[in-house]
Amino acid sequence: MIRINVSAIPVNDQAKAERFYVDMLGFVKKRDIPFDGGRWLTVENPDGSGVELLLEPAGFDFARTYQKAFTTTAFR
């Protein structure tokens, strides 16, 4: 069985996203590592399922490209 344990979510504001996922949805912060103007910030589901979300800063070129492609093609 294949399991996807980490999934990236591009966010415009990592601090705001962290507050939402931790304070509102009950996730637990797992990793917070500064890098290249952003953070490798992950939260995980506290139920032990191994689900981990990377709150990826959307300010990088690759993230902007992904978001543009997703929003222009996903809902046609």
Side-chain angles (χ1 to χ4, degrees):
M1 174 193 276
I2 296 173
R3 286 183 54 134
I4 297 173
N5 288 335
V6 178
S7 185
I9 300 174
V11 298
N12 292 321
D13 184 329
Q14 284 184 303
K16 189 175 181 179
E18 177 186 0
R19 286 191 302 273
F20 175 74
Y21 281 93
V22 172
D23 297 340
M24 300 292 289
L25 298 182
F27 282 75
V28 176
K29 183 164 53 172
K30 183 170 183 179
R31 293 180 178 87
D32 190 352
I33 304 165
F35 81 96
D36 198 24
R39 296 158 42 195
W40 181 267
L41 176 62
T42 66
V43 294
E44 68 179 345
N45 193 333
D47 69 0
S49 64
V51 173
E52 187 174 355
L53 302 175
L54 167 62
L55 305 178
E56 183 175 17
F60 293 102
D61 288 337
F62 66 87
R64 282 193 288 269
T65 301
Y66 171 80
Q67 283 183 318
K68 183 177 179 181
F70 181 76
T71 58
T72 58
T73 60
F75 300 106
R76 286 185 180 195

